[in-house]
Amino acid sequence: AFETQAAIADGAVEIDMVLPVGHFRSGAAGRKAALQDVQVVCGVTRNAGVALKVILETAALSDAEIAEAVSLCRQAGVEFVKTSTGFGPGGATPHAVSLLSKHASAEAGDGPAAQVKASGGVRTLSDALVMIRAGAHRIGASASVPIMTELTQLQRTSSSTALKMLQDDGVALQPAPTPSSRA
């Protein structure tokens, strides 16, 4: 929590933390320890009005572990669950994003709903659109400039199939909220 407090003092408006997978995978006591770690950081971020994103490294987890990890995050009250750091065994996949979305929704129970951030391996506009269709609320991409350049070019042509697909799905493309726009 000290690092979180320091980052917030330095002006951070969002915090990313990695789920302590070693604890998480080491049985009931370990899962309780993982929950407590996330709760402590979540308490600091909540008190500061800062969003917390917990990175699950979904490529290293089974579907059942993903479901349980999302439940743990929801119990702690995090705002986002995130697929990957980009340094783990793999990045975002449509399957993982779909699982996160399913288990992070309000209908899944276990506390307040969380949003989903697809991160790791999203390199093109097509990749981003697939992740959005799978349930991502946000995209994390080191290729964000080329992705947004392609999107801007598509927006200039009213016949864009990709944009029509998004509109048909009810997706509104908008920038992430600024700190002053958070409730």
Side-chain angles (χ1 to χ4, degrees), residues 1-179:
F2 171 77
E3 294 91 351
T4 301
Q5 291 169 330
I8 292 169
D10 286 342
V13 296
E14 293 186 353
I15 298 293
D16 284 26
M17 76 173 284
V18 179
L19 179 74
V21 176
H23 285 315
F24 178 75
R25 285 189 154 165
S26 64
R31 290 190 190 210
K32 183 177 179 182
L35 174 61
Q36 290 171 339
D37 285 353
V38 176
Q39 286 173 322
V40 167
V41 175
C42 192
V44 172
T45 59
R46 187 177 299 114
N47 288 339
V50 170
L52 176 61
K53 296 175 285 190
V54 177
I55 304 164
L56 304 183
E57 292 296 4
T58 54
L61 302 175
S62 69
D63 288 2
E65 288 172 322
I66 290 171
E68 192 162 347
V70 173
S71 174
L72 180 147
C73 290
R74 292 193 54 205
Q75 290 172 46
V78 306
E79 287 79 14
F80 286 88
V81 288
K82 185 174 167 180
T83 56
S84 171
T85 60
F87 300 105
T93 65
H95 177 71
V97 170
S98 178
L99 278 174
L100 291 177
S101 181
K102 173 184 173 185
H103 295 291
S105 72
E107 294 79 30
D110 299 324
Q115 293 187 45
V116 175
K117 182 171 180 180
S119 187
V122 182
R123 294 183 180 86
T124 66
L125 178 59
S126 178
D127 293 340
L129 296 176
V130 167
M131 296 304 164
I132 291 167
R133 290 196 86 176
H137 297 92
R138 284 194 187 175
I139 303 295
S142 58
S144 57
V145 171
I147 290 170
M148 294 309 294
T149 299
E150 185 179 355
L151 178 61
T152 301
Q153 292 168 346
L154 287 174
Q155 287 174 324
R156 291 185 182 139
T157 63
S158 62
S159 63
S160 167
T161 304
L163 291 176
K164 285 184 179 179
M165 176 185 79
L166 289 172
Q167 290 169 343
D168 290 346
D169 286 349
V171 174
L173 297 174
Q174 58 193 12
T178 60

